């Protein structure tokens, strides 16, 4: 069982930091092919993510009681437990339906912003609210929001599981105590065995009986089990020919507290250059050696270190410099540490015990990204940024990450690095809400460049939509408004793709468009977005299933009232053509058009009547009879809503011109 940051549960390989000191550890995991991801991920807690968890889940004590309480529709359970017990994963598994894994599964979040309010629950919804990372100053307001939402869940017949912080439950509102179910840690060895099986590692029972292993497992948070299994697999593939016990020993060493070991190593280094090389190698582990040595010089300069003024031939060569450090070169000339995950312990040491270096390290990372050594490929730069972001989040230095993400997003050459920062920030259990708020501010900003819009679109479509799709729609809508005239089409394409996968998201966007037009804000932009969204009924076969006719007609009414003359004509013609071709939905399309025109102003019914006539008379002769039939039904509906008798049927020559 794995518990991670909100939405950060592992899907494949782990690249989180080693827990080398006190406090929480935040591990983040990514799938195998970032570049191949679609622009929009599943708009709810991903099915494949839940299936991955299901294969590794071991029910903890208390899970059965929680499941029993949740059997009845309309039920709410508040899940409590000690830190590291896997509360989030248990909550996901309580709501997951193995018989119907595609059932509606919605992740909620606490927010003080009105635009990010929790969506209305509906019958059959399975709702997850993770409050485990809520700041203490927000916990009271979050509980009040939860208390109000509880009644709505019951009335709707949905199911809600909220994950409580591991803090003292005396802070919980008295009215909510009746909903609490406590869980404890599951059997650690059973959890580890399932994670190892996911790595195709079937170890003998005796390999998992060692006292050191069992003691360590008892200290691990459940999120560390995936990390540990990953390290065992890495030890196996690193060339070790020893028994499984050697792999376990190496993995335990990598996850142990190495702060004392690294502190002794750093203290024993004779020069600042050796320390800079150790730190640069830890930040660029796996990168070409010549690139690492190149960037060491700049790190020394930023740290105000005296440059080496020895003649070139008298300086210590690179091979000799490596001898004093736990580093090695592989056969491709790339730098690695000799011990498994030692680079992570080195990074943690410098951030923890040399905090005065943080400022120049941020500047150094920015310079490496902006002016990298030619041998430093994109993957090397992305790993550098991820490592810097992980340590900055661990040290609560999220402001530096906000600034770097903004700066990098402004330049298309560093957009991948900006996205890497936002990805880690959005998935962080404590600071994710802050990153969501910052993206919201940027999306509403008047200074949205094309490059920034592209980065924010990818962050919303690939990351935020996975866990908070409603918030993704809000931010993409703001971005789309500001880029509808000039800007990347990817913004609007991602927004439309996202809402067309989910009925409630589609209705959320329509509601936002109606609200914007009612407030006379951004009228032209929202009109254009609506016409693009619904402009191809034939290519959008889910339209009728996703959107009730009343909601669509109400939006049409607002759009018709706000649009400039002739702006909607092309879309109306497409709808009429679709009404002729799409026989099951044809009547529904014309019903919506008439209802929308009627709800606007009377003149729009006349305009719709004339649009139908032009659509018939302006068509090729062979299409006119079919179009005339659609137009005749349209006109009858117009007459009906006006309360007049049906008009006589057009003569053939009138219909065909």
């Amino acid at each position: 069982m794995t518990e991670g940051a909100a939405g950060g549960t592992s899907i494949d390989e782990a690249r989180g930091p080693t827990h080398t000191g006190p406090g929480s550890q935040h591990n983040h995991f990514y799938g195998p092919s970032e570049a191949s991801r679609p622009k929009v991920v599943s708009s709810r807690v991903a099915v494949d993510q839940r299936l991955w968890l299901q294969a590794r889940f071991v029910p903890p004590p208390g899970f059965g009681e929680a499941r029993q309480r949740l059997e009845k529709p309309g039920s709410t359970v508040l899940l409590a437990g000690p830190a590291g017990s896997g509360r989030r994963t248990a909550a996901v598994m309580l709501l997951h339906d193995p018989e119907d894994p595609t059932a509606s599964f919605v992740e909620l979040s606490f927010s003080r912003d009105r635009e990010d309010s929790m969506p209305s629950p509906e019958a059959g919804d399975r709702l997850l609210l993770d409050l485990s990372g809520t700041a203490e100053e927000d916990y009271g307001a979050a509980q009040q929001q939860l208390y109000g939402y509880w009644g709505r869940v019951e009335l709707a017949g949905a199911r809600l599981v909220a994950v409580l912080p591991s803090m003292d439950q005396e802070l919980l509102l008295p009215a909510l105590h009746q909903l609490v179910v406590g869980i404890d840690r599951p059997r650690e060895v059973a959890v580890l065995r399932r994670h190892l099986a996911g790595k195709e590692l079937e170890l003998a029972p005796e390999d998992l009986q060692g006292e050191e292993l069992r003691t360590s497992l008892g200290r691990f948070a459940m999120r560390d089990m995936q990390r540990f299994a990953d390290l065992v697999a890495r030890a196996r593939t690193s060339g070790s020919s020893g028994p499984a016990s050697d792999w376990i020993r190496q993995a335990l060493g990598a996850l142990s507290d190495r702060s004392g070991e690294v502190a002794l190593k750093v203290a024993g280094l004779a020069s600042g250059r050796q320390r800079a090389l150790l730190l640069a190698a830890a930040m660029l582990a796996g990168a070409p050696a010549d690139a690492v040595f190149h960037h060491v010089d700049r790190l020394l300069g930023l740290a105000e270190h005296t440059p080496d003024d020895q003649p070139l031939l008298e300086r210590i060569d690179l091979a000799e410099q490596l001898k004093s450090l736990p580093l090695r070169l592989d056969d491709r000339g790339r730098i690695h540490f000799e011990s498994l995950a030692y680079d992570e312990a080195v990074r943690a040491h410098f951030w923890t015990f040399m905090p005065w270096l943080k400022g120049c390290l941020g500047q150094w990372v920015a310079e490496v990204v902006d002016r990298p050594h030619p041998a430093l490929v994109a993957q090397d730069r992305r790993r550098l940024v991820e490592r810097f972001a992980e340590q900055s989040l661990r040290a609560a230095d999220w402001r530096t990450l906000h600034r770097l993400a903004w700066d990098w997003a402004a330049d298309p050459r560093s957009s991948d690095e900006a996205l890497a920062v936002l990805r880690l920030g959005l998935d962080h259990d404590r600071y994710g809400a802050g990153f969501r708020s910052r993206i919201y501010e940027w999306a509403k900003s008047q200074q949205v460049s094309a490059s920034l819009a592209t980065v924010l679109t990818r962050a919303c479509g690939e990351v935020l939509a996975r866990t908070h799709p409603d918030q993704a729609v809000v931010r993409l809508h703001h971005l789309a408004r500001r880029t509808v005239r000039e800007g990347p089409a990817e913004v609007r394409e991602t927004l439309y793709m996202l809402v067309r996968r989910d009925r409630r998201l589609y209705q959320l966007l329509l509601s936002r468009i109606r609200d914007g037009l009612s407030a006379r804000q951004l009228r032209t932009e929202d009109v254009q977005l609506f016409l693009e969204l619904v402009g191809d009924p034939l290519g959008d076969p889910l339209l009728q299933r996703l959107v009730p006719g009343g909601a669509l007609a109400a939006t049409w009414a607002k759009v018709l009232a706000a649009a400039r003359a002739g702006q909607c004509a092309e879309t109306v013609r497409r709808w009429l053509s679709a009404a002729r071709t799409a026989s099951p939905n044809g009547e529904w399309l014309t019903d919506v058009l008439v209802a929308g025109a009627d709800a606007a102003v009377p003149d729009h019914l006349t305009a719709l009547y004339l649009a139908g006539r032009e659509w018939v008379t302006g068509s090729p002769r062979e299409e006119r009879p079919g179009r005339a039939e659609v137009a005749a039904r349209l006109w009858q509906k117009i007459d009906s809503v006006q309360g007049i008798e049906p008009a006589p049927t057009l003569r053939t020559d009138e219909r065909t011109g």
Side-chain angles (χ1 to χ4, degrees):
M1 180 167 61
T2 303
E3 180 185 33
T9 307
S10 170
I11 294 178
D12 193 69
E13 297 294 321
R15 289 204 293 267
T18 300
H19 199 187
T20 57
S24 301
Q25 177 191 16
H26 307 292
N27 293 341
H28 304 271
F29 308 103
Y30 302 92
S33 55
E34 302 280 348
S36 63
R37 277 184 167 181
K39 293 176 184 175
V40 176
V41 298
S42 176
S43 61
R44 300 297 177 195
V45 178
V47 174
D48 58 352
Q49 180 186 12
R50 286 185 272 128
L51 293 175
W52 186 96
L53 281 176
Q54 180 183 336
R56 291 155 179 80
F57 180 66
V58 175
F63 186 82
E65 178 188 350
R67 170 163 282 174
Q68 188 174 13
R69 288 211 200 176
L70 208 62
E71 284 181 353
K72 182 181 177 182
S75 301
T76 293
V77 168
L78 309 187
L79 213 57
S85 59
R87 302 186 308 284
R88 176 184 166 85
T89 296
V92 172
M93 288 296 97
L94 279 171
L95 293 166
H96 175 65
D97 184 359
E99 302 298 325
D100 184 14
T102 61
S104 175
F105 194 122
V106 183
E107 180 158 6
L108 311 171
S109 65
F110 164 73
S111 175
R112 295 181 182 273
D113 195 293
R114 183 184 62 83
E115 286 196 274
D116 285 340
S117 60
M118 293 192 288
S120 297
E122 297 184 3
D125 279 351
R126 295 169 180 268
L127 306 164
L128 172 66
L129 176 61
D130 190 350
L131 298 177
S132 61
T134 305
E136 191 168 346
E137 60 269 21
D138 291 329
Y139 191 41
Q143 289 185 70
Q144 292 291 346
Q145 195 172 99
L146 171 59
Y147 180 77
Y149 203 70
W150 168 25
R152 297 168 64 188
V153 169
E154 186 174 14
L155 288 173
R159 291 177 174 86
L160 168 65
V161 177
V163 182
L164 298 179
S166 57
M167 63 182 66
D168 192 340
Q169 294 308 318
E170 290 183 1
L171 297 175
L172 191 66
L173 290 175
L176 297 175
H177 275 282
Q178 60 183 297
L179 304 175
V180 176
V181 176
I183 65 166
D184 210 333
R185 293 172 62 87
R187 293 174 292 117
E188 290 92 352
V189 172
V191 176
L192 175 59
R193 189 177 292 280
R194 292 205 175 185
H195 277 289
L196 290 172
K199 297 287 182 181
E200 299 182 352
L201 276 171
E202 298 289 346
L203 302 189
E206 56 269 23
D207 292 326
L208 302 177
Q209 298 300 319
E211 183 64 27
E212 182 185 7
L213 174 61
R214 288 183 171 272
T215 301
S216 297
L217 293 181
R219 294 196 303 263
F220 287 170
M222 286 300 109
R223 71 176 71 90
D224 292 330
M225 292 296 187
Q226 162 62 15
R227 174 71 176 142
F228 182 68
D230 176 54
L231 289 169
V232 173
R234 285 172 58 184
R236 179 190 61 172
T237 58
S238 64
S240 174
S241 57
S245 59
D246 284 352
W247 309 336
I248 292 174
R249 177 181 51 77
Q250 291 182 52
L252 286 174
L255 275 180
S256 65
D257 185 347
R258 285 176 158 176
S259 57
E261 177 187 352
V262 175
L264 286 174
K265 170 58 69 176
V266 173
L269 296 177
S271 68
R273 183 172 186 82
Q274 287 179 306
R275 294 183 179 186
L277 177 55
L278 182 68
L279 177 55
M283 296 297 293
L284 292 166
D290 52 347
V292 175
F293 284 112
H294 170 82
H295 289 297
V296 165
D297 290 330
R298 185 54 186 150
L299 178 57
L300 286 167
L302 291 171
E304 299 181 354
H305 192 276
T306 304
D308 189 349
D309 56 1
Q310 286 184 307
L312 294 178
L313 291 177
E314 294 183 14
R315 296 180 185 178
I316 300 175
D317 64 30
L318 303 184
E320 191 66 27
Q321 291 183 47
L322 290 178
K323 285 183 180 180
S324 61
L325 299 173
L327 299 171
R328 62 177 177 84
L329 296 182
D330 64 16
D331 54 5
R332 297 182 300 160
R334 291 179 172 266
I335 275 189
H336 301 276
F337 281 79
E338 293 173 348
S339 298
L340 188 64
Y342 194 89
D343 58 318
E344 298 163 4
V346 171
R347 294 194 293 271
H349 171 84
F350 277 94
W351 251 263
T352 302
F353 298 107
M354 295 187 179
W356 53 84
L357 289 177
K358 292 176 184 176
C360 68
L361 279 172
Q363 188 176 349
W364 178 71
V365 170
E367 290 192 10
V368 173
V369 169
D370 294 338
R371 295 188 294 277
H373 185 274
L376 211 62
V377 298
Q379 185 180 16
D380 297 323
R381 297 194 301 273
R382 180 171 59 83
R383 282 193 299 226
L384 168 67
V385 169
E386 289 172 350
R387 290 161 179 166
F388 179 79
E390 286 166 352
Q391 293 302 320
S392 296
L393 290 169
R394 190 177 66 85
D397 187 16
W398 44 266
R399 293 179 181 84
T400 295
L401 297 181
H402 286 178
R403 176 180 55 78
L404 286 175
W406 172 269
D407 291 343
W408 285 334
D411 187 343
R413 296 172 299 178
S414 53
S415 60
D416 286 344
E417 286 78 10
L419 183 62
V421 171
L422 295 178
R423 191 187 301 280
L424 280 169
L426 288 169
D427 276 347
H428 198 273
D429 56 355
R430 183 172 182 182
Y431 302 115
F435 276 84
R436 294 195 297 271
S437 295
R438 187 51 57 97
I439 290 177
Y440 174 75
E441 294 169 7
W442 291 345
K444 291 184 66 176
S445 169
Q446 299 299 322
Q447 303 174 354
V448 180
S449 65
S451 180
L452 176 62
T454 299
V455 169
L456 297 183
T457 297
R458 292 181 63 190
C460 290
E462 298 175 13
V463 187
L464 192 55
R466 186 181 69 239
T467 56
H468 299 83
D470 304 83
Q471 294 188 18
V473 169
V474 169
R475 286 145 183 78
L476 286 169
H477 183 207
H478 281 299
L479 281 172
R481 281 169 163 171
R482 282 156 179 77
T483 58
V484 70
R485 294 173 182 167
E486 293 182 6
E490 180 183 355
V491 177
R492 302 190 301 283
E493 292 170 0
T494 302
L495 174 61
Y496 303 151
M497 192 184 307
L498 179 57
V499 301
R500 284 171 180 153
R501 295 184 177 193
D502 190 293
R503 174 177 51 83
R504 278 180 295 194
L505 297 182
Y506 206 122
Q507 293 190 65
L508 171 62
L509 180 57
L510 291 181
S511 174
R512 290 180 56 79
I513 289 174
R514 290 196 300 273
D515 291 345
L517 293 174
S518 297
R520 303 180 65 85
Q521 297 171 351
L522 299 165
R523 321 189 75 179
T524 303
E525 290 81 358
D526 272 331
V527 167
Q528 186 62 34
L529 292 175
F530 174 79
L531 295 177
E532 289 182 359
L533 176 65
V534 303
D536 184 16
L538 283 177
D540 190 5
L542 297 178
L543 179 64
Q544 184 175 2
R545 199 177 79 184
L546 287 170
V547 190
L552 194 54
T555 314
W556 258 115
K558 297 288 186 183
V559 168
L560 289 170
R564 63 179 183 273
Q567 188 175 1
C568 301
E570 177 60 28
T571 302
V572 169
R573 287 193 289 268
R574 290 183 180 180
W575 272 54
L576 294 175
S577 296
R580 173 174 173 254
T581 306
S583 54
N585 300 336
E587 293 303 311
W588 179 82
L589 291 170
T590 53
D591 285 342
V592 169
L593 281 175
V594 173
D598 181 49
V601 291
D603 286 350
H604 285 98
L605 285 173
T606 302
L608 182 59
Y609 181 95
L610 295 174
R613 179 181 290 275
E614 293 172 2
W615 175 68
V616 174
T617 58
S619 64
R621 182 172 295 274
E622 63 273 12
E623 292 185 13
R624 290 181 188 176
R627 291 195 179 195
E629 293 177 8
V630 174
R633 293 196 299 272
L634 174 71
W635 296 333
Q636 289 173 358
K637 293 173 183 179
I638 292 173
D639 290 342
S640 177
V641 298
Q642 290 178 318
I644 60 178
E645 294 297 322
T649 304
L650 285 177
R651 298 195 309 272
T652 302
D653 59 338
E654 287 183 308
R655 294 201 308 265
T656 60

